[in-house]
Structures are given as C-alpha cells and as structure tokens.
Amino acid sequence: MKIQGLYTAIITPFRNNEVDYDAFRKLIDAQAAAGVDGIVPVGTTGESPTLTHDEHMEVIAKAIEFSAGRMKVIAGTGSNSTTEAIIMTQEAAKLGADGTLQVCPYYNKPSQEGLYRHFKAIAECSPLPIVLYSIPGRSGIEIAVETAARLAKDCPTIVAIKEAGGSVDRVNQLAQALPEDFAILCGDDGLTVPFISCGAVGLVSVTSNVAPAEMKALVDAAMSGDGKKALALQKQYYPLMKGLMSLDTNPVPIKAALALRGDISWEIRLPLAPLAEEKHAKLSALLKQFNLL
C-alpha cells in the first residue's frame, strides 16, 4: 500500500460518556468530501488511552464502515505492551483496516534493541502495513534513525514512519537512511512544508479535523512541487495550526473547536480537562478568522 498525502488524526466524539457514532459518521463524511487520503482513528488525537479495549476496536470498525472505501484507514493499535499491540493489530486486520499506526512505547522507556524487537514482533504477527510513530514528547524516547532503518530492512510490512519530533534535520537523516519507497509522514501541521521539502510524502494532521479542504490543498501543493503556493498556504494557515496545538494539550482545543461549530458534543475524558473558559474566546476568534465558525 502506498502511503502518502493527507491523513487526518481523527477525534473520537463522545456524548454522555459514550462514543457518539452518529457524530463520528458525519465527521468522516466531511473528510471524504474534502478528498483526504485517509484517516487515523484512535491515535493520540482520538483519545486512545482512555478508551476501553472494546470501545477502541469498535471505533476502528466504525471508521472502516463509515469510510466505505472512500479513504484509507490507518488504525491506531500501538501500545507500551507488545502483547496488547499484537492483539489489537490482529483484530484490526480482521476488521479490514488498511494499515496500522504503532506508537513508540511510552513509560517503559525501552532500549533501541527493545524497540526493534517490539515492532518486529508486531510485524511478524499481522499482515497489515505498519506506520511507526516516533513522538518523544509523549513517549519519552524516540525511534532512532538506525532502528527505523533496521526495521525497514528486516520487516517488509513496516513501510512508513510518522515523525513527530519537530526536527527537520531528523527528516534529512531518515531520508538518507531509509529505502526510497519508505514513507516519511510529517506529524506536526506547522512543519508540513519543510518536512515535505526534505523528503516527507505526507502529513498526519490534527488541523484537518476542522479544516480538511484547506490542509488537503496545502499538502497537495507541497507534494506537487508548487513551493510558492505551498509557502503561501503555510503562512496563511499557520496561526490556525499553532492555535489548535498551543491553547491546551491535544486533543482538547480541536475538540473544543468542533464543539463550537456544533459538529460534536463537548466532552473529553479525564485525565484531560475541558478548555478553560478564558481560552474559548481566543479559540472562537481564531475559527472566525478562518471562516470556520
């Protein structure tokens, strides 16, 4: 499977502390209408840490059902428990997911050898294409360039990496070390243009939950080599990208934005707390600035 373009790290809407599948369907329909290349359910933005196992798998199942072949579904099935990650990945494969996102194990702080064995074990237990997910800000460690290269060489189903370490230089290093057909995906909306200019082939976006067409245009321009248009769009939408990530911990601001628009009920699960009242005015003004409210 070729992984490139715009993938939305889609939120998980709640109503009365249950997953709101009616709202979820509408969100996915909006993504399809905007022409996104895929969605990534139950990742960081999808609040996977606070979903039960049954909820987690049902969200994946519904994402596949509601997408109805209109876009790829890269299911978040990673864990800091190798056994749990294997079980969820095997279940996602049975459900019909197109691929799986495997986060760098958090809290355990394994060595690079431990990381290699973790991801290799998952790859050996499922046919699904795997996207590695390096996010040191949440995991405490990164997937080293050498480890990613080793996995790419030894595991045919490990085909991509979502890079969310915030370093353009690391993208350069990955591009040097990984095979030509191994996909590097930007994991930070604000770094889309520089990452793609250095070898990334797409973006896993938070902002596209609320502005899918705009983020699709940005990624398409960058991927087509239209640097002038891409830079103009990056400059135009950077305040939106920045605001959605800086007002509070992701996914608090993006869920608040969708709630302000009436797309979802305003609910988030503990230990995350609702967006502070004084920040709602800033968020509302930001959305109005971009004609999103």
Side-chain angles (χ1 to χ4, degrees):
M1 182 181 72
K2 194 171 185 178
I3 299 176
Q4 67 177 41
L6 175 64
Y7 285 76
T8 298
I10 198 158
I11 65 106
T12 301
F14 299 120
R15 183 177 292 274
N16 300 322
N17 202 36
E18 301 287 339
V19 179
D20 185 346
Y21 288 112
D22 288 337
F24 194 48
R25 182 194 293 272
K26 291 174 183 176
L27 291 173
I28 291 174
D29 285 344
Q31 296 296 316
V36 305
D37 297 282
I39 56 172
V40 184
V42 284
T44 305
T45 308
E47 293 180 80
S48 58
T50 51
L51 295 177
T52 67
H53 177 85
D54 288 346
E55 286 176 328
H56 192 123
M57 301 317 301
E58 183 68 9
V59 169
I60 292 172
K62 292 298 186 183
I64 295 165
E65 176 188 342
F66 298 158
S67 294
R70 294 176 293 175
M71 67 198 85
K72 301 297 184 185
V73 177
I74 308 297
T77 59
S79 173
N80 62 344
S81 162
T82 306
T83 299
E84 182 178 19
I86 288 171
I87 291 170
M88 290 195 297
T89 301
Q90 290 173 332
E91 290 184 30
K94 292 176 183 177
L95 290 170
D98 297 292
T100 172
L101 182 73
Q102 293 293 330
V103 69
C104 181
Y106 40 88
Y107 191 75
N108 314 58
K109 297 189 76 172
S111 66
Q112 291 299 314
E113 179 63 23
L115 288 181
Y116 171 81
R117 295 186 184 197
H118 168 80
F119 292 122
K120 188 171 186 288
I122 297 166
E124 290 174 342
C125 290
S126 168
L128 281 183
I130 290 174
V131 181
L132 304 174
Y133 182 13
S134 185
I135 181 166
R138 287 184 184 259
S139 296
I141 56 172
E142 69 178 12
I143 303 171
V145 172
E146 296 77 14
T147 302
R150 189 180 172 195
L151 287 163
K153 178 178 180 292
D154 295 346
C155 306
T157 56
I158 297 181
V159 298
I161 184 168
K162 176 186 174 184
E163 175 52 41
S167 169
V168 176
D169 188 53
R170 190 171 137 89
V171 176
N172 283 316
Q173 294 174 30
L174 288 166
Q176 292 289 321
L178 294 167
E180 192 72 27
D181 59 351
F182 195 95
I184 302 169
L185 302 174
C186 178
D188 186 329
D189 289 329
L191 292 172
T192 302
V193 171
F195 270 39
I196 290 178
S197 70
C198 290
V201 295
L203 167 70
V204 181
S205 174
V206 173
T207 305
S208 57
N209 276 280
V210 73
E214 292 81 355
M215 295 306 295
K216 175 66 173 170
L218 169 61
V219 172
D220 284 354
M223 288 289 293
S224 69
D226 190 342
K228 185 176 181 180
K229 181 178 180 181
L231 284 171
L233 289 169
Q234 178 90 18
K235 183 177 181 180
Q236 180 182 356
Y237 290 105
Y238 179 76
L240 177 64
M241 304 174 201
K242 181 70 173 178
L244 289 172
M245 295 303 291
S246 63
L247 283 171
D248 205 325
T249 301
N250 180 50
V252 176
I254 190 63
K255 292 195 83 172
L258 290 165
L260 282 171
R261 285 160 49 99
D263 295 335
I264 65 171
S265 173
W266 171 237
E267 287 188 33
I268 201 154
R269 284 185 177 173
L270 290 169
L272 296 178
L275 189 67
E277 284 298 324
E278 62 270 18
K279 294 182 179 180
H280 273 276
K282 292 181 180 179
L283 179 59
S284 179
L286 184 66
L287 295 175
K288 288 176 182 177
Q289 178 185 341
F290 291 94
N291 298 315
L292 295 172
L293 188 61

